[in-house]
Amino acid sequence: MKKAIIALTLLLMLTIAASGCTSPAANHSEGCCANPVSQTALGQYRDAAVFSNLEQDPIGVREPFYGVRLLNRDGTTVQEWPLDSLTSYQPVWDDEEENGPGMLVYSLSGRLPSILQQNGSLSVLSQPKWAPPQVEFTNDFGLNVQYADRLVRNEIYAVNGHLKLYRVNTRSGVSQELYESARPVYGIAASPDNDRVALLVASDDTFGPDADLIVLDRDGHKLLHRPRASYLSHSDGFLFIYPLAWNDNETVTVPVDGYKEGRIRGVLHIRLNREGASYEADPKLPAAARRILAQHARVAKETDITSFTAASGNPSGLYAVQLANRDVWIVDILKGKALKAGVGYPLRWTRDNRLWLAANRSELPVYYSGM
């Protein structure tokens, strides 16, 4: 009996050593060996973690964290903003900010959207002075207001109820109604000089995948109407938000996918003064990045990758990749290494190669409407 007890004890010790776990933290998907003192939120590290090399996982990962982090390329946290009940993010360019776009954050709670700037500031947009719409629509994420992606001289375009377009002064809240759409607006973007605004509007009454492109000047005069210029596959009757952007003051870029032409998802670059449009396929994660990721994250196939965003620069070689399990990895091709940055959605890289990383509750997936 004594020998049996000793053998059982040794077996338990070997099992614990093999698992590397001595606490309930083993149930966390981030791994069972995180620092038990700080482990409360997956991907959260309020005290900047120090890495000896890119192959390590983040130190002090804690669960749960909901909000946005700004990360260095080595995965350490520059700043974080705990925010709850978030549903949608989009980039927003502010002419008073020199470090590149901030992030416009929408919430299901009914609060006004917030703007996160790269300098660390967080501000809430003022309440526009507009009358409640007699008829309004709510998009698939429970929101009834869309803002454009540009703030110039304290002015930003906004669509209330997904039908009425306004030009809003963000300091005074004074709003000027410019245009009323006959059908719900799927997307909105402003030209770099903020003198023009582009709308993607449902092409038919079923709110299907096709969208018309409408371009207006700052006073609401129509400059262009191109039927069925954009299309993204989704069921009829759902009001999805479509990302769109201006390349310059004369070119609008709209999303398209392959349900019509049998091609992969991409974009159309539409010049205001031309009839045609040029197609460009969405980029793929480079093979070199996939190889490095497979070595560190044990990615079995390309379908394990759900989204990615590339840092600017030539060459930067930096990619933030989201996997099907919501893990986000930073891949550095130039160094041939990768690290796990946390869990959530990689929104975009900043000009100085820092990463916006967003995390929502599992029942509220992150939605990003940027290009």
Side-chain angles (χ1 to χ4, degrees), residues 26-358:
N27 294 325
H28 289 276
S29 61
E30 183 74 356
C32 57
C33 302
N35 186 342
V37 175
S38 58
Q39 180 168 352
T40 58
L42 202 61
Q44 178 176 350
Y45 11 88
R46 293 185 181 276
D47 299 321
V50 179
F51 293 84
S52 60
N53 60 67
L54 281 175
E55 295 182 356
Q56 288 184 269
D57 283 347
I59 296 175
V61 172
R62 297 187 286 182
E63 172 80 59
F65 174 84
Y66 309 121
V68 185
R69 287 193 193 87
L70 186 62
L71 305 180
N72 286 317
R73 61 191 295 165
D74 65 357
T76 56
T77 300
V78 179
Q79 191 162 356
E80 62 183 16
W81 301 265
L83 302 165
D84 208 353
S85 300
L86 307 179
T87 60
S88 181
Y89 299 82
Q90 75 179 69
V92 59
W93 280 258
D94 188 338
D95 65 339
E96 295 184 357
E97 296 292 332
E98 298 180 353
N99 296 325
M103 200 63 58
L104 193 58
V105 182
Y106 296 86
S107 171
L108 266 180
S109 66
R111 296 191 306 267
L112 290 165
S114 302
I115 296 181
L116 302 179
Q117 296 289 3
Q118 294 184 29
N119 62 11
S121 66
L122 171 64
S123 60
V124 179
L125 291 177
S126 60
Q127 176 63 53
K129 296 177 181 178
W130 53 31
Q134 294 181 348
V135 178
E136 67 176 356
F137 293 88
T138 300
N139 66 31
D140 205 42
F141 298 89
L143 309 172
N144 61 5
V145 177
Q146 291 182 64
Y147 284 86
D149 56 350
R150 199 167 298 276
L151 179 59
V152 177
R153 297 182 296 275
N154 303 312
E155 287 187 339
I156 191 170
Y157 296 99
V159 178
N160 192 15
H162 294 288
L163 289 176
K164 287 190 176 183
L165 173 69
Y166 292 84
R167 191 174 68 247
V168 180
N169 186 293
T170 56
R171 289 188 176 177
S172 66
V174 173
S175 304
Q176 180 182 351
E177 184 177 339
L178 303 178
Y179 177 78
E180 183 171 7
S181 175
R183 296 191 180 101
V185 175
Y186 286 173
I188 177 174
S191 61
D193 59 11
N194 217 36
D195 284 340
R196 295 174 177 178
V197 57
L199 305 176
L200 287 177
V201 178
S203 297
D204 49 56
D205 294 330
T206 64
F207 311 156
D210 290 270
D212 295 359
L213 174 64
I214 297 175
V215 178
L216 309 161
D217 66 17
R218 62 179 287 104
D219 295 317
H221 300 128
K222 190 179 294 186
L223 304 176
L224 176 72
H225 181 186
R226 182 169 293 195
R228 303 184 186 278
S230 177
Y231 39 90
L232 290 179
S233 297
H234 64 80
S235 300
D236 289 359
F238 290 93
L239 207 169
F240 284 87
I241 298 302
Y242 288 17
L244 72 158
W246 290 71
N247 290 3
D248 51 52
N249 290 322
E250 299 294 332
T251 310
V252 183
T253 298
V254 303
V256 294
D257 61 22
Y259 86 94
K260 284 187 175 180
E261 285 81 5
R263 59 193 179 192
I264 65 173
R265 180 166 171 166
V267 296
L268 289 179
H269 302 294
I270 300 174
R271 294 281 296 179
L272 270 59
N273 58 354
R274 296 181 186 175
E275 289 295 326
S278 60
Y279 167 77
E280 180 183 1
D282 283 351
K284 291 186 176 182
L285 187 66
R290 293 200 303 272
R291 286 195 299 271
I292 295 168
L293 187 62
Q295 294 170 3
H296 295 80
R298 298 179 179 88
V299 176
K301 50 189 179 301
E302 191 168 350
T303 53
D304 293 336
I305 299 171
T306 55
S307 68
F308 73 91
T309 179
S312 60
N314 188 22
S316 72
L318 281 174
Y319 295 86
V321 185
Q322 183 195 49
L323 303 183
N325 64 357
R326 298 175 62 240
D327 284 350
V328 176
W329 287 75
I330 294 176
V331 181
D332 190 330
I333 291 179
L334 300 183
K335 294 184 177 180
K337 295 185 178 181
L339 67 91
K340 184 156 59 177
V343 169
Y345 187 92
L347 298 172
R348 67 178 295 127
W349 291 89
T350 66
R351 287 181 181 174
D352 54 358
N353 290 337
R354 293 174 172 180
L355 176 68
W356 293 96
L357 179 64

